[in-house]
Amino acid sequence: MEQTDRSAPSDFIRDIIDEDLRIHRYQRRIATRFPPEPNGYLHIGHAKSVCLNFGIAAQYGGICNLRFDDTDPSGENMEYVDSIMRDVKWLGFDWEDRLYYASDYYDRLYEYALALIKMGKAYVCDLNADEIREYRGTLTTPGKDSPYRNRSVEENLKLFERMRAGEFAEETHVLRAKIDMASPNMTLRDPIMYRIKKETHYRTGDKWCIYPMYDFAHCLSDSIEGITHSICTLEFENNRPLYDWFLNESKIENPPRQIEFARLNLTFTVLSKRKLIDLVEKGIVSGWDDPQMPTLAGMRRRGFTPEAIRRFCERIGVAKNDSIIDVDLLENLVREDLNEKAPRVMAVLHPLRVVIDNYPEDLVEEFDCPYHPQKPEMGSRKVPFSKVLYIEQDDFAVNPPKKFLRLAPDREVRLRYGYFIRCTDVVKDANTGQVIEVHCTYDPETRSGFAPDGRKVGATIHWVSAAHAVVAEARLYDRLFRVANPLEGDLDYLDHLNPQSLEVIHLAQVEPSLAVAVPGRLFQFERIGYFCVDAFDSKAGSPVFNRTVTLRDSWAKLADKK
Ligand code: ATP
Ligand code: MG
């Protein structure tokens, strides 16, 4: 066993593993698995489980398998399998050659079921779903034995074989474990092991018409793969005795153990797969990879980085009690990461024309602008400057309120990486009165960003040269839900959708270096936020940018620090 890493996180799961190692509970090395069902895309909650399982394996010099838990033909498909593999890799984890499918174990699981029948530990039951529920009893009253509970082994074997052969209709027969209908733990009241489903499975086709249930399939799949620690979410805590029962009755030596942790809940977000499917199918979002989705595909398209997501998972840790994490934490970690990595460029989302009256008509200067003021290694690019510019409408006010230090009539500001300009005149739309153009003069002595006479300005604003700018689309994403917990209260979660979750700006003006921005690349638009070049819709010459996160604070407020 490799030395454990001291800087690695510690939590109750790692404590259990440390103790198991100390008492030599497992001769083999630590083995975990990430077991998604391919019936949807991975979301940020899954990322917590991926980081935990792969993280523990790495920390203890063990292995982590990727296993598709594909025991229910409804809703599972290859598109989901592919997306899950892509997303786990993108997050930065590697299952190497250990890619498994529970559906590859169907023959072996069937053998385990036969063995249980032969031991008198499983029986075929003809009750229908309603009757089974009725017989199961409640939390306060014991259940009743099924009238089919005491069938002979021979009869059970015959019936189970006929179930497999497709002789019975769905919901007419199930195979059940024979445990205890009076158990205080409801999951032990003769749970179903197999049900009939006459559906084509995306991998096994029509070979099977009986499919194993999670509780039966999962523990044995773990055992087949030599998993030592089977980490799952808290809702399976009651199922742990059943997990152990199947392994014990199947005479598995040195069985894996199940450990439960609290699933991730995030404010302003829903993470249930069923609800995410709903958002996709109802067309509320454009697909699983819509940047508003909490899926890894959506977050990637939005510009979240795997590093930020991994750091988030590390930061929240694992615990045994349910809680809801503030989505701000995730956004802050994205900001922190992009603050280091994203080149800084200039883009104007709501353009206002500025004409510099004393600037020569045909002159074009090229300013060499660094991509990151603190990181010269990130290089620089040339940004053209000319007589007509665009600035943000917000950066100009005809009647500036008290704390407004940006451009206003007869006021001087600094242009980022450029000259001081002073506003001399304003052109208004004759009908609406709206300012449509601002006239300025520039001071040629301020090319360095400072005035030789030492005079100060109240603000530095960004700009693009009108003749050189590229028209771009900017998609400003906000939270998909208006309330912190869309699942709370009497309303349906869809009633809490944020109507302003997406604002599309069609005619943003961006600096020419962005004309050929590579899909997936991340930028900081100075003073505005972080943006990601859309992986699908962006084209050379007409770029599309998704806002990843807004900026916390902008350097414009730091007036005279250039
Ligand atoms: P849902 O319950 O939303 O339909 P699921 O959890 O059943 O989805 P799976 O594909 O079975 O989806 O999940 C794969 C693994 O990811 C499981 O081990 C599960 O416990 C874990 N997981 C799913 N959601 C979360 C979450 N919100 N936080 C942490 N782990 C999660
Ligand atoms: Mg599940």
Side-chain angles (χ1 to χ4, degrees):
M1 189 65 52
E2 275 174 32
Q3 193 72 42
T4 60
D5 175 0
R6 271 161 200 274
S7 66
S10 108
D11 51 57
F12 78 96
I13 298 181
R14 283 149 167 114
D15 290 346
I16 292 172
I17 295 174
D18 288 337
E19 178 62 12
D20 284 346
L21 289 172
R22 197 183 64 77
I23 63 172
H24 303 288
R25 178 172 168 142
Y26 293 101
Q27 281 73 49
R28 49 181 187 264
R29 61 181 169 165
I30 298 299
T32 59
R33 83 285 170 267
F34 174 62
E37 182 179 358
N39 61 350
Y41 278 56
L42 297 185
H43 54 61
I44 181 80
H46 292 116
K48 176 176 178 178
S49 176
V50 172
C51 291
L52 183 61
N53 280 294
F54 280 94
I56 282 177
Q59 180 184 344
Y60 289 92
I63 51 171
C64 179
N65 298 350
L66 176 62
R67 181 199 314 147
F68 288 100
D69 202 356
D70 54 358
T71 52
D72 183 351
S74 336
E76 297 176 352
N77 65 45
M78 224 40 218
E79 179 199 341
Y80 294 137
V81 167
D82 292 338
S83 77
I84 289 168
M85 292 201 277
R86 188 161 60 233
D87 290 346
V88 172
K89 274 188 204 151
W90 176 74
L91 253 193
F93 298 101
D94 186 1
W95 56 88
E96 296 167 340
D97 57 350
R98 297 177 311 279
L99 171 63
Y100 301 112
Y101 295 84
S103 55
D104 283 344
Y105 307 144
Y106 282 170
D107 285 304
R108 292 171 77 174
L109 294 172
Y110 186 77
E111 293 300 319
Y112 278 116
L114 288 180
L116 288 173
I117 294 174
K118 286 178 190 157
M119 288 185 284
K121 303 278 182 183
Y123 63 98
V124 173
C125 181
D126 306 2
L127 296 179
N128 65 31
D130 288 338
E131 291 163 336
I132 288 179
R133 199 171 314 118
E134 209 179 291
Y135 274 72
R136 182 166 287 142
T138 66
L139 282 173
T140 49
T141 56
K144 279 190 305 190
D145 284 0
S146 157
Y148 306 100
R149 198 171 198 261
N150 292 316
R151 280 180 160 148
S152 67
V153 168
E154 290 66 34
E155 194 183 357
N156 280 320
L157 287 173
K158 230 177 268 161
L159 285 170
F160 189 46
E161 178 48 39
R162 290 179 63 195
M163 277 172 67
R164 178 192 180 160
E167 289 184 29
F168 301 121
E170 287 187 9
E171 288 180 37
T172 58
H173 297 74
V174 289
L175 183 71
R176 299 176 71 174
K178 195 170 181 176
I179 308 182
D180 179 5
M181 288 306 292
S183 172
N185 182 339
M186 302 271 288
T187 61
L188 294 177
R189 294 184 187 173
D190 291 10
I192 297 174
M193 294 166 58
Y194 273 91
R195 75 268 200 232
I196 300 170
K197 268 204 167 191
K198 302 209 165 164
E199 277 178 52
T200 303
H201 186 277
Y202 77 102
R203 290 187 83 242
T204 57
D206 295 320
K207 177 174 176 199
W208 295 88
C209 63
I210 54 171
Y211 290 94
M213 301 297 287
Y214 175 89
D215 287 310
F216 173 65
H218 202 85
C219 54
L220 288 164
S221 303
D222 283 343
S223 144
I224 289 169
E225 291 176 18
I227 299 303
T228 56
H229 297 83
S230 180
I231 301 168
C232 65
T233 38
L234 222 48
E235 68 272 21
F236 292 103
E237 197 168 20
N238 281 334
N239 303 47
R240 190 183 341 130
L242 182 54
Y243 182 99
D244 294 338
W245 189 89
F246 281 123
L247 293 175
N248 186 43
E249 297 300 334
S250 301
K251 316 263 183 307
I252 302 296
E253 275 177 42
N254 209 4
R257 65 186 289 175
Q258 175 181 303
I259 305 172
E260 312 85 22
F261 70 100
R263 61 170 48 229
L264 170 69
N265 301 300
L266 257 193
T267 56
F268 299 96
T269 310
V270 297
L271 289 181
S272 134
K273 232 187 251 172
R274 205 158 2 98
K275 297 198 171 63
L276 297 181
I277 289 175
D278 229 31
L279 291 171
V280 172
E281 285 183 349
K282 292 193 168 131
I284 293 163
V285 295
S286 63
W288 284 99
D289 64 354
D290 187 305
Q292 299 172 95
M293 288 284 272
T295 52
L296 296 182
M299 290 182 168
R300 171 168 63 236
R301 193 167 169 195
R302 172 124 169 214
F304 286 27
T305 57
E307 292 78 12
I309 294 173
R310 288 203 304 267
R311 213 163 295 152
F312 171 76
C313 292
E314 216 172 89
R315 193 72 69 82
I316 58 178
V318 284
K320 196 89 193 162
N321 46 326
D322 268 313
S323 65
I324 179 157
I325 305 287
D326 201 328
V327 72
D328 279 343
L329 174 64
L330 177 59
E331 291 170 354
N332 275 334
L333 290 168
V334 170
R335 231 174 243 125
E336 243 174 68
D337 193 35
L338 296 187
N339 180 47
E340 298 292 311
K341 287 181 186 155
R344 298 174 183 196
V345 293
M346 293 197 282
V348 175
L349 298 187
H350 300 100
L352 172 64
R353 262 172 77 88
V354 172
V355 181
I356 305 174
D357 291 323
N358 62 337
Y359 196 83
E361 197 72 44
D362 299 322
L363 182 61
V364 178
E365 286 182 84
E366 287 206 311
F367 296 167
D368 189 47
C369 305
Y371 274 123
H372 197 300
Q374 284 93 46
K375 292 179 189 288
E377 68 277 13
M378 284 175 70
S380 64
R381 80 287 180 196
K382 299 263 189 269
V383 179
F385 182 87
S386 66
K387 187 179 178 75
V388 182
L389 310 174
Y390 291 121
I391 64 167
E392 292 289 347
Q393 290 169 13
D394 273 1
D395 283 337
F396 178 78
V398 185
N399 300 301
K402 215 175 187 137
K403 288 193 175 148
F404 187 94
L405 301 175
R406 291 160 279 164
L407 197 62
D410 204 33
R411 184 181 296 163
E412 197 170 43
V413 295
R414 174 191 296 114
L415 294 175
R416 179 67 159 158
Y417 299 118
Y419 298 108
F420 284 13
I421 56 170
R422 178 181 299 278
C423 172
T424 52
D425 199 7
V426 172
V427 181
K428 291 182 180 165
D429 181 296
N431 298 318
T432 64
Q434 208 196 335
V435 176
I436 51 173
E437 192 173 279
V438 172
H439 285 258
C440 292
T441 54
Y442 84 115
D443 177 354
E445 301 296 313
T446 55
R447 174 64 194 90
S448 67
F450 293 94
D453 63 4
R455 72 182 190 279
K456 304 273 193 244
V457 290
T460 303
I461 64 174
H462 65 278
W463 51 274
V464 293
S465 163
H468 304 89
V470 174
V471 174
E473 179 174 318
R475 299 173 179 171
L476 309 187
Y477 292 103
D478 200 345
R479 290 167 182 169
L480 192 52
F481 293 94
R482 272 183 300 198
V483 296
N485 189 351
L487 302 181
E488 210 175 50
D490 300 332
L491 289 178
D492 186 77
Y493 73 103
L494 291 177
D495 293 324
H496 295 300
L497 282 167
N498 173 8
Q500 269 109 43
S501 65
L502 170 60
E503 181 194 349
V504 181
I505 294 173
H506 294 283
L507 298 175
Q509 301 278 354
V510 303
E511 62 168 73
S513 73
L514 294 173
V516 290
V518 178
R521 283 284 161 80
L522 288 152
F523 294 95
Q524 184 195 100
F525 287 178
E526 297 219 33
R527 301 178 61 227
I528 298 178
Y530 293 99
F531 285 75
C532 178
V533 183
D534 190 78
F536 301 101
D537 300 332
S538 197
K539 302 273 171 317
S542 54
V544 176
F545 295 94
N546 300 324
R547 184 171 68 196
T548 311
V549 278
T550 52
L551 283 186
R552 233 320 140 52
D553 34 42
S554 71
W555 46 260
K557 290 178 200 127
L558 311 171
D560 258 277
K561 285 190 203 147
K562 195 182 165 225

